[in-house]
Amino acid sequence: MTILTNRPGVRRAAVTASALAASLSAVLLAAVPSAQAEPPGPVPARAATAGPAATKAAQQAYYPNTDWIVCEVNKERANHGMTPLQISDPVSNTARAHARDMARTGKLSPVGSDGRDLRARLSDAKVFSSYIREYLFSGYTSDSYFADMATDPDTDFSKALMNQDVVAVGLGYDNRYWDVVLVGKHRKLVTRSPSCARP
């Protein structure tokens, strides 16, 4: 595992399906460029004085609008003449459970606290695909910052999202921990189109 950081609290990782099947040794952790990362900002005074539970509640007040983020990615895919990505709710549910596990353990890792990897988690959810890729992030609390990073052509994440083999995405988030899973075609893959209207 290679770890590169130049900014605490904002990290990302990518895991390919083949690396998961082999030994998960291809995990890459890298710092998000500061131009794309949200400034950490101060913790609200009442959260700081009310203890850890209030701090977690203040951080958890944010939850990403998956549909809007995917719509922003689809604008970029359209610029490249590509079909739009779909959202897979079963994949999102799996990603959400893993994000919750990472938030609970405070560890950005492709392997859950139960020792299981992405392939095993998706198998439990009856999701199968020959193309699976997972990206793990920590530190984003803004749809706009995340969408900007996801559509920045200089990031590996954006390049993966522009891959024509990717047909659907699942996104999970909990307390600043993100698990984004990209999947390819499969005859039993359940997907839906994103709703692009912001609330």
Side-chain angles (χ1 to χ4, degrees):
M1 180 181 293
T2 305
I3 299 176
L4 304 170
T5 59
N6 65 9
R7 184 162 185 180
V10 182
R11 299 171 290 164
R12 67 180 180 173
V15 184
T16 63
S18 59
L20 283 168
S23 66
L24 297 170
S25 61
V27 177
L28 173 65
L29 295 177
V32 176
S34 57
Q36 301 158 349
E38 179 191 17
V43 175
R46 68 172 180 231
T49 58
T55 301
K56 183 174 181 179
Q59 291 173 341
Q60 191 61 20
Y62 166 74
Y63 197 85
N65 182 332
T66 301
D67 287 67
W68 183 82
I69 291 170
V70 174
C71 288
E72 291 300 296
V73 170
N74 283 340
K75 288 178 187 176
E76 193 64 26
R77 282 175 67 96
N79 290 340
H80 290 82
M82 302 176 71
T83 58
L85 288 179
Q86 299 288 298
I87 293 174
S88 173
D89 290 326
V91 175
S92 289
N93 292 339
T94 301
R96 192 173 301 117
H98 185 58
R100 189 177 308 119
D101 186 51
M102 290 191 295
R104 185 178 54 77
T105 61
K107 183 180 178 184
L108 192 69
S109 171
V111 179
S113 60
D114 59 0
R116 307 185 80 229
D117 64 15
L118 174 64
R119 188 70 76 172
R121 292 191 295 270
L122 289 177
S123 180
D124 288 348
K126 306 290 189 254
V127 174
F128 307 100
S129 176
S130 59
Y131 183 96
I132 296 174
R133 190 160 181 151
E134 180 177 47
Y135 282 83
L136 308 174
F137 302 89
S138 174
Y140 289 94
T141 56
S142 163
D143 290 353
S144 296
Y145 277 110
F146 194 84
D148 183 56
M149 178 273 300
T151 56
D152 182 339
D154 293 330
T155 66
D156 290 337
F157 182 47
S158 178
K159 291 172 186 172
L161 288 166
M162 296 304 122
N163 185 329
Q164 63 183 1
D165 292 331
V166 177
V167 299
V169 61
L171 189 152
Y173 174 88
D174 193 278
N175 198 22
R176 299 173 68 92
Y177 283 86
W178 300 69
D179 184 11
V180 184
V181 179
L182 312 180
V183 293
K185 291 180 183 177
H186 189 272
R187 61 189 177 85
K188 293 185 178 179
L189 183 65
V190 177
T191 63
R192 65 175 175 83
S193 296
S195 171
C196 295
R198 289 209 81 162

